[in-house]
Amino acid sequence: MKGGPSMLTSSLFIIGLCLGSFVTCMAERISNGHILISTQRSRCPHCRHQLRFWQLIPLLGILLQRG
Protein backbone atom coordinates (compact mmCIF):
# COMPACT_ATOMS: atom_id res chain seq x y z
CA MET A 1 0.00 0.00 0.00
CA LYS A 2 1.60 3.25 -1.16
CA GLY A 3 1.89 6.02 1.41
CA GLY A 4 -0.22 4.14 3.97
CA PRO A 5 0.96 4.67 7.53
CA SER A 6 3.19 7.66 6.79
CA MET A 7 0.38 9.50 4.97
CA LEU A 8 -2.03 8.80 7.81
CA THR A 9 0.50 9.93 10.41
CA SER A 10 1.22 13.14 8.48
CA SER A 11 -2.49 13.89 8.11
CA LEU A 12 -3.17 13.33 11.79
CA PHE A 13 -0.19 15.51 12.71
CA ILE A 14 -1.46 18.41 10.59
CA ILE A 15 -5.02 18.04 11.93
CA GLY A 16 -3.63 17.99 15.47
CA LEU A 17 -1.65 21.19 14.84
CA CYS A 18 -4.73 22.97 13.52
CA LEU A 19 -6.99 21.81 16.36
CA GLY A 20 -4.37 22.67 18.97
CA SER A 21 -3.94 26.13 17.50
CA PHE A 22 -7.70 26.69 17.46
CA VAL A 23 -8.18 25.53 21.06
CA THR A 24 -5.29 27.72 22.25
CA CYS A 25 -6.74 30.74 20.45
CA MET A 26 -10.19 30.18 21.95
CA ALA A 27 -8.75 29.67 25.46
CA GLU A 28 -6.79 32.93 25.24
CA ARG A 29 -9.83 34.84 24.01
CA ILE A 30 -12.04 33.46 26.78
CA SER A 31 -9.48 34.14 29.51
CA ASN A 32 -8.98 37.74 28.29
CA GLY A 33 -12.72 38.40 28.03
CA HIS A 34 -12.74 38.87 24.24
CA ILE A 35 -15.53 37.68 21.97
CA LEU A 36 -14.97 34.23 20.47
CA ILE A 37 -16.05 34.95 16.91
CA SER A 38 -14.60 38.09 15.38
CA THR A 39 -14.43 39.56 11.90
CA GLN A 40 -10.93 40.90 12.59
CA ARG A 41 -7.82 38.78 12.29
CA SER A 42 -5.64 37.91 15.25
CA ARG A 43 -3.25 40.49 16.68
CA CYS A 44 0.02 40.34 18.59
CA PRO A 45 -0.84 40.51 22.30
CA HIS A 46 2.14 42.78 22.98
CA CYS A 47 2.21 45.37 20.16
CA ARG A 48 -1.36 44.84 18.79
CA HIS A 49 0.01 44.43 15.23
CA GLN A 50 -2.37 42.49 12.97
CA LEU A 51 -0.85 39.12 12.10
CA ARG A 52 -0.27 38.20 8.47
CA PHE A 53 -1.76 35.04 6.96
CA TRP A 54 1.51 33.08 7.10
CA GLN A 55 1.90 33.91 10.79
CA LEU A 56 -1.40 32.16 11.49
CA ILE A 57 -0.30 28.80 10.03
CA PRO A 58 0.42 26.42 12.94
CA LEU A 59 4.11 25.55 13.43
CA LEU A 60 5.16 27.18 10.14
CA GLY A 61 4.52 30.68 11.51
CA ILE A 62 6.59 29.97 14.62
CA LEU A 63 9.45 28.49 12.60
CA LEU A 64 9.54 31.39 10.13
CA GLN A 65 9.49 33.96 12.94
CA ARG A 66 12.11 32.02 14.93
CA GLY A 67 9.96 31.73 18.01
Side-chain angles (χ1 to χ4, degrees), residues 16-47:
L17 285 175
C18 292
L19 288 175
S21 177
F22 177 75
V23 169
T24 302
C25 177
M26 291 297 110
E28 283 188 31
R29 287 184 182 186
I30 289 171
S31 67
N32 292 333
H34 296 122
I35 58 174
L36 294 180
I37 307 295
S38 176
T39 57
Q40 295 180 339
R41 297 210 344 232
S42 297
R43 297 183 177 272
C44 172
H46 302 289
C47 69

Side-chain angles (χ1 to χ4, degrees), residues 1-16:
M1 185 162 120
K2 290 185 177 181
S6 63
M7 186 67 147
L8 177 63
T9 303
S10 298
S11 297
L12 289 175
F13 180 73
I14 292 170
I15 290 170

